[in-house]
Amino acid sequence: MIWLINLLGLALMLAIVWWFWIAKPATTQRQGDTVDILVDDGVYTPSRIETPVNQPITLRFLRKDASPCAEQVIFSDFDISAELPVDDYKAITLTPQEKGEYDFTCQMQMYRGTLIVI
């Protein structure tokens, strides 16, 4: 019986490593100037968004998760932060000036997303 508990513990550790450090969600390319992002169950959906450099993009966040962790989104590279109301959209428009990958997170950095500027 002890070997079964050890095996389940090992499987749980591997799942945690995969979830936090190995798994990469699919990248979404923008269709038009606006991308809707769902904030729910500990993730942004989509969480990886690709956009061209020097073109404005509007990210509309729809927060479904009422937990305090999800109440704010922060783009630290752009000095932008915004409060996200529950069950309502909050739009953030920005124009990335340089190519690169820019993270956006909640204030506790549990929710994580990436804006990929090409």
Side-chain angles (χ1 to χ4, degrees), residues 16-65:
I16 290 171
V17 167
W18 176 81
W19 177 261
F20 285 103
W21 293 287
I22 296 174
K24 293 278 186 190
T27 300
T28 299
Q29 294 184 347
R30 64 189 263 179
Q31 307 290 323
D33 295 336
T34 302
V35 175
D36 289 340
I37 300 172
L38 178 64
V39 181
D40 197 15
D41 293 331
V43 294
Y44 295 121
T45 306
S47 63
R48 293 178 58 86
I49 301 153
E50 196 172 275
T51 187
V53 69
N54 290 324
Q55 289 193 13
I57 183 170
T58 299
L59 304 172
R60 291 187 341 138
F61 289 87
L62 176 59
R63 177 181 165 206
K64 292 293 187 180
D65 186 348

Side-chain angles (χ1 to χ4, degrees), residues 24-30 47-53 57 59 75 78 94 96 98-104 113-118:
K24 293 278 186 190
T27 300
T28 299
Q29 294 184 347
R30 64 189 263 179
S47 63
R48 293 178 58 86
I49 301 153
E50 196 172 275
T51 187
V53 69
I57 183 170
L59 304 172
F75 293 81
F78 298 100
L94 51 93
E98 295 180 17
K99 294 179 180 179
E101 293 193 5
Y102 303 96
D103 291 334
F104 54 96
T114 305
L115 185 64
I116 303 164
V117 180
I118 54 173

